[in-house]
Amino acid sequence: MRCDAYPVPDSFDELIQPSGKPRPVAQELCARLSALDSADLAARRESVDAAIMSMGITFTVYSDAGNIDRAWPFDIVPRTLPESEWKRVDAGLKQRLKALNLFIEDLYNEQEIIHDGVFPREVLNGSSNFREACLGMKPRFGVWAHICGTDLVRDRDGTIYVLEDNLRVPSGVSYMLENRALMKRLFPEFFAEGNILPVDDYPLRLYETLAALSPRDTSRPVIALLTPGIYNSAYFEHSYLAQQIGAYLVEGADLFVDENDFVYMRTVAGPRRVDVIYRRVDDLFLDPEIFRPDSMLGTPGLMRSWRAGKVAIANAPGAGVADDKVVYAFVPKIIQYYLNEEAILPNVPSYLCMFEDDRDYVLGFLDELVVKPANESGGYGMLIGPLATASERAEFAARIKAQPRNYMAQPMLNLSTAPTFTERGLAPRHLDLRPFVLQGKELYATTGGLTRVALKEGSLVVNSSQGGGSKDTWIVRDAPASEAR
Amino acid sequence: MLSRVAENLYWTGRYVERAENTARLVLATSQLHMEAGGKARLPWAELLRIMGLDQHAPLAALGNEDGPAIRYLTEDEDNPSALITSLRQARENARSVREMLPSEAWESLNGLYLMAKEHLREGRSDADRNQTLRDIILQRMVLAGILHETMSHDVAFLFVRLGEMLERIDMTSRIIDLTTATRQADEDGESLGNSAGWMNVLRALGAYQMYRRHVGVQVVPQSVIAFLFGDNHFPRAMRYCLNLLEESLGQLPLPAQTRGPLRALAPHLRTDDIHDPESLHQRIDQLQVDLGKLHQRIYDQYFASRQRPIVAEAEQPQA
């Protein structure tokens, strides 16, 4: 597989410079890839597919009736980032989550940021993820969002932007871990030099983060991972993480709350108390006593127990208030307000349709912008202006006018690319990066994260539910100064 | 251990065991077929009755041909007891509790299902199919080895083993009952069948060698029955399985609750009063009824608690 035959794209390529030469961070990788002949490569790709099937790495697509899993689409060419650049990103991610947690705590308590005129009350009033049932709560360490998946993209000029903060039930970290396991299984020689930073401390850090939340003072708190069940698209991850951190994988019906507000699991030896719930169920399904009464996924009384401080829930109910594409636009100000620091990682410029000037601009330039609904995830409900038809744009314009609070728009970025294995050899495909950030007693960010890649030529949609795949992400140790010639 | 998880582990064990024994049953049947010179039609109606499928199987549609009946038993996903269905169920149960199992166990079971799915399909020759059935048995042994050697023999393991042993007694008894079917294919109606038929049963259960070593070279029907029912050391003998069931249940919480139905099974394994096909068949029927009762007690004791209303559960004393 020749890197020098690669059609260098118009976008920023993560591995290859405009001249066609590999970036320094990818030099060794390209040399190793170029040394593989096509038969060797085909054999390795086949064994990747076989390993994915036998390891059972799958994800679920809701529309696939009767077929509950699909093999995880994995590209064997890794995405590289230099350690020096990553250090700055790492600091930016931690800064951002720290500020967001201060913000959530403030919104559910004093609301000083609103009183000080930095954050408009009307944005809060229009938030579908604000939960009145959480008002007045002070979770341990002041942390609401313990696990955050931050989506990063790189534009043509090389700037890395934050595209989204996922503070509800972000998923994908298991694929980050499995992608690395796959690469090590198939290309062990790539890792021989020790220049690729490891990623596998995440499960331990996740365990420490969750264990520190236990309301009961014990060295071995009982942690339960609450899943919607086997038909959820992220079930593989739920099961995988429960196994990695030694948590019980529970469904709502496995739990009950007694009259003293303690949470128990139903076990073969009778009820057993639960200290920490890592929930992968959305707020509204958590507790039919408080939220949707028809929910079969949650457990009645969970909110009672949480409010009484008898169980910890991560992420805390209501944390999603900061996971809203309109709130997103305020994050640089939020960082400034709580930390008195400039945001290390910039936001993508955003236009909020709730403000008249912004709205007029958005409606005038719909054919150039990407319009997103405030509260959707998974890439659903978006309008990609330049690729949309006139009637689609007209339909969106009507929706924006009807519910301006619900929409925001951003310029269309030319997402960075990386060489990706296709039927016609290596070709550029667009990608993003989702690192995972933990906050409890301490702050932690994964080394790299999950690189998602749009496998269709020219596509910018990286979501696995819509034809996306993924790559191993390498943070590559900087060459020692003495070796730089 | 969560009640739901315990139940899924139990069914993983049962379905894997059922799949293996179905492979053994079909292999044994097609072996008989060859020994009959391929002329005699196999009594499929009897075989399906033995499998408890006579109510379900579209017997008329299967006709009296071998091919459709074998496909029905192995690859027909609409048949709730087909080999492929059992493997799929085992995989689905294991998938929902895979954090409890060694990761190699899941990989092995997943691979077993995918292999069976690929190879058990229409248009394969008998030789190919029989090879696939032997491969399935072998791969199931790999899975058993992974569980036995890399999983702590903890509560999770015990529930898998309960499922395996209960199912193995059930399926072993059904495979023995196959002789009833073959007897009817034979001319002789009074005896317990011929030694060729019993040798075939021993082979189907992988028991021929051990029978010869520990019982004798002659394949005597009464001796084979005594061995497969009552031997304490051969792992597919029902007495051995019952001993393991007893040992496993003894390690679970509140073992007294299952002791009654467990003890009711033991007398069925005495075989000195079995002299003709009718008494053998009756004995197997009684055994299966009492196995059903033991299953029900295990279910009520360990799995059903999650179904109880929350108030009742909360009022229970902590166990």
Side-chain angles (χ1 to χ4, degrees):
Chain A
M1 180 164 64
R2 308 291 305 175
C3 283
D4 51 16
Y6 179 63
V8 180
D10 175 38
S11 51
F12 182 99
D13 196 273
E14 301 283 345
L15 270 63
I16 309 293
Q17 307 182 47
S19 66
K21 288 210 165 65
R23 294 183 186 280
V25 68
Q27 254 165 18
E28 192 184 317
L29 172 64
C30 287
R32 286 186 182 277
L33 286 175
S34 299
L36 295 171
D37 63 32
S38 54
D40 193 1
L41 203 70
R44 301 230 195 179
R45 284 197 76 211
E46 256 172 47
S47 52
V48 173
D49 293 343
I52 288 173
M53 285 308 278
S54 77
M55 286 159 82
I57 309 174
T58 59
F59 72 102
T60 309
V61 177
Y62 288 110
S63 55
D64 277 6
N67 182 12
I68 78 166
D69 56 20
R70 279 194 192 164
W72 178 242
F74 174 72
D75 181 64
I76 58 172
V77 184
R79 181 257 188 91
T80 53
L81 278 163
E83 186 185 12
S84 50
E85 182 176 29
W86 183 253
K87 278 182 180 155
R88 201 182 65 86
V89 174
D90 175 271
L93 292 168
K94 290 173 179 166
Q95 176 199 49
R96 201 169 168 100
L97 184 58
K98 199 170 155 190
L100 285 169
N101 272 312
L102 288 164
F103 171 68
I104 302 168
E105 175 101 336
D106 190 19
L107 284 189
Y108 286 113
N109 289 281
E110 292 75 22
Q111 301 194 340
E112 285 174 3
I113 193 168
I114 296 176
H115 299 309
D116 289 342
V118 176
F119 186 78
R121 178 165 297 280
E122 54 183 315
V123 175
L124 183 61
N125 291 344
S127 167
S128 61
N129 290 316
F130 182 76
R131 308 270 172 255
E132 283 188 8
C134 303
L135 279 167
M137 275 297 288
K138 299 227 170 204
R140 183 172 294 181
F141 311 121
V143 174
W144 292 67
H146 309 87
I147 298 125
C148 171
T150 310
D151 289 348
L152 304 177
V153 292
R154 197 200 288 272
D155 199 9
R156 195 194 313 260
D157 67 358
T159 310
I160 293 180
Y161 292 99
V162 176
L163 188 67
E164 275 179 24
D165 306 284
N166 294 284
L167 302 174
R168 284 175 279 181
V169 286
S171 62
V173 75
S174 59
Y175 299 115
M176 173 191 89
L177 297 166
E178 290 285 62
N179 286 353
R180 178 58 59 86
L182 274 174
M183 284 305 282
K184 283 182 174 168
R185 188 158 158 165
L186 293 152
F187 298 98
E189 70 273 21
F190 286 11
F191 295 88
E193 310 280 337
N195 290 331
I196 302 154
L197 296 183
V199 298
D200 51 11
D201 62 338
Y202 180 81
L204 179 64
R205 297 306 195 110
L206 176 62
Y207 173 81
E208 287 168 354
T209 302
L210 295 171
L213 304 177
S214 171
R216 193 162 48 162
D217 188 20
T218 164
S219 61
R220 289 196 62 184
V222 176
I223 302 176
L225 192 157
L226 177 61
T227 172
I230 186 162
Y231 295 103
N232 185 269
S233 61
Y235 185 80
F236 165 79
E237 169 154 310
H238 304 163
S239 165
Y240 178 92
L241 288 177
Q243 187 175 20
Q244 294 286 317
I245 66 174
Y248 289 86
L249 183 63
V250 304
E251 297 175 15
D254 294 327
L255 302 177
F256 69 93
V257 181
D258 73 358
E259 64 278 12
N260 298 316
D261 299 339
F262 290 110
V263 180
Y264 294 91
M265 307 183 287
R266 301 163 203 271
T267 79
V268 295
R272 177 147 189 222
R273 189 172 158 195
V274 175
D275 300 301
V276 181
I277 297 174
Y278 174 20
R279 54 96 173 206
R280 297 293 298 259
V281 171
D282 279 326
D283 278 358
L284 293 181
F285 295 92
L286 268 184
D287 181 352
E289 278 184 10
I290 303 293
F291 303 120
R292 287 179 60 152
D294 58 334
S295 169
M296 304 295 286
L297 303 176
T299 306
L302 222 47
M303 287 295 286
R304 228 180 329 123
S305 180
W306 179 66
R307 289 202 61 106
K310 290 177 175 172
V311 73
I313 300 180
N315 288 351
V321 67
D323 171 354
D324 171 311
K325 293 183 178 67
V326 175
V327 173
Y328 160 87
F330 290 90
V331 174
K333 286 183 186 165
I334 289 170
I335 292 173
Q336 180 68 250
Y337 178 79
Y338 292 105
L339 303 179
N340 199 23
E341 294 171 9
E342 286 296 311
I344 299 171
L345 295 171
N347 262 17
V348 180
S350 302
Y351 304 96
L352 300 182
C353 299
M354 61 187 293
F355 299 128
E356 202 179 339
D357 288 356
D358 282 16
R359 184 166 63 244
D360 289 346
Y361 178 83
V362 171
L363 292 172
F365 292 90
L366 265 186
D367 56 343
E368 293 178 12
L369 298 169
V370 177
V371 184
K372 299 174 174 181
N375 298 309
E376 287 281 346
S377 61
Y380 292 101
M382 279 175 31
L383 175 85
I384 300 179
L387 305 178
T389 63
S391 70
E392 283 168 342
R393 286 197 294 267
E395 192 200 325
F396 247 79
R399 283 198 224 168
I400 291 169
K401 285 176 199 159
Q403 289 188 298
R405 164 63 179 84
N406 242 347
Y407 292 94
M408 61 92 85
Q410 294 169 338
M412 187 155 132
L413 302 186
N414 189 346
L415 302 191
S416 63
T417 51
T420 299
F421 201 88
T422 70
E423 279 171 12
R424 283 167 293 164
L426 290 181
R429 290 291 182 268
H430 295 289
L431 35 81
D432 77 351
L433 177 62
R434 177 178 286 186
F436 295 85
V437 194
L438 300 176
Q439 187 178 0
K441 207 170 167 184
E442 291 163 42
L443 271 163
Y444 162 86
T446 48
T447 311
L450 176 66
T451 292
R452 299 184 299 175
V453 51
L455 294 173
K456 271 182 267 173
E457 188 170 359
S459 169
L460 296 168
V461 182
V462 297
N463 304 83
S464 56
S465 51
Q466 300 188 39
S470 76
K471 289 167 167 284
D472 191 16
T473 308
W474 290 4
I475 305 302
V476 181
R477 211 181 291 280
D478 299 320
S482 60
E483 279 181 32
R485 272 165 266 180
Chain B
M1 160 97 21
L2 293 172
S3 296
R4 174 180 53 84
V5 170
E7 186 174 2
N8 285 329
L9 288 166
Y10 171 83
W11 282 109
T12 302
R14 282 201 76 151
Y15 280 119
V16 166
E17 188 71 28
R18 187 175 300 173
E20 177 193 338
N21 282 283
T22 305
R24 291 180 179 279
L25 189 68
V26 173
L27 273 175
T29 311
S30 68
Q31 205 68 32
L32 275 177
H33 186 45
M34 282 187 269
E35 269 149 32
K39 284 176 196 152
R41 286 281 158 226
L42 288 168
W44 290 109
E46 278 301 299
L47 183 59
L48 294 169
R49 183 189 56 72
I50 289 169
M51 291 291 286
L53 287 170
D54 43 338
Q55 301 299 315
H56 188 273
L59 280 176
L62 293 177
N64 209 22
E65 294 292 316
D66 300 339
I70 288 178
R71 284 202 296 277
Y72 181 73
L73 284 170
T74 56
E75 70 201 48
D76 186 341
E77 301 222 28
D78 292 332
N79 171 6
S81 287
L83 199 166
I84 195 70
T85 317
S86 296
L87 285 177
R88 194 183 67 225
Q89 298 277 21
R91 176 174 177 257
E92 290 312 306
N93 275 284
R95 185 216 299 273
S96 67
V97 293
R98 58 184 283 192
E99 76 282 356
M100 303 299 296
L101 301 169
S103 50
E104 293 84 0
W106 162 253
E107 288 182 28
S108 156
L109 177 53
N110 193 37
L112 174 55
Y113 169 75
L114 295 172
M115 181 269 280
K117 180 122 178 93
E118 188 186 335
H119 290 284
L120 288 178
R121 53 189 157 85
E122 223 171 323
R124 293 288 170 120
S125 69
D126 288 0
D128 279 353
R129 187 198 59 236
N130 288 348
Q131 186 53 47
T132 299
L133 294 174
R134 280 190 289 271
D135 288 345
I136 288 170
I137 293 171
L138 211 60
Q139 285 308 307
R140 184 266 183 279
M141 293 298 164
V142 170
L143 172 62
I146 292 169
L147 291 176
H148 199 269
E149 298 301 322
T150 69
M151 184 174 181
S152 295
H153 289 200
D154 55 10
V155 175
F157 179 86
L158 292 177
F159 275 105
V160 177
R161 188 155 79 180
L162 280 184
E164 287 172 338
M165 290 303 126
L166 218 111
E167 186 69 27
R168 190 179 294 173
I169 295 177
D170 186 71
M171 287 297 285
T172 297
S173 73
R174 289 177 199 271
I175 291 173
I176 294 171
D177 213 8
L178 182 63
T179 54
T180 318
T182 57
R183 177 189 57 81
Q184 288 180 354
D186 285 340
E187 296 302 307
D188 185 355
E190 288 301 309
S191 79
L192 278 165
N194 55 35
S195 59
W198 282 103
M199 196 184 297
N200 190 49
V201 170
L202 285 171
R203 286 221 172 94
L205 293 169
Y208 183 49
Q209 225 182 321
M210 293 301 131
Y211 172 85
R212 272 204 325 205
R213 182 181 306 166
H214 297 291
V215 181
V217 178
Q218 299 283 337
V219 176
V220 182
Q222 261 94 356
S223 306
V224 176
I225 291 170
F227 181 70
L228 292 178
F229 274 69
D231 192 77
N232 276 304
H233 305 290
F234 180 66
R236 308 200 76 81
M238 292 188 272
R239 164 52 74 181
Y240 175 95
C241 300
L242 188 63
N243 292 344
L244 263 191
L245 270 180
E246 195 167 356
E247 187 197 309
S248 306
L249 286 167
Q251 294 176 57
L252 291 177
L254 298 173
Q257 296 297 317
T258 48
R259 211 163 283 148
L262 199 57
R263 289 197 175 146
L265 282 168
H268 300 319
L269 301 185
R270 297 187 41 144
T271 54
D272 35 9
D273 56 345
I274 294 177
H275 299 291
D276 53 35
E278 194 46 39
S279 56
L280 174 63
H281 182 64
Q282 272 182 9
R283 177 61 52 81
I284 289 172
D285 271 357
Q286 291 163 350
L287 181 73
Q288 285 175 355
V289 168
D290 283 336
L291 265 183
K293 288 181 182 164
L294 177 60
H295 163 78
Q296 190 59 44
R297 184 62 62 87
I298 290 172
Y299 179 86
D300 292 342
Q301 178 63 32
Y302 298 114
F303 309 150
S305 66
R306 65 191 297 253
Q307 311 287 351
R308 278 179 219 149
I310 282 163
V311 177
E313 173 99 33
E315 283 167 1
Q316 277 175 23
Q318 302 247 340

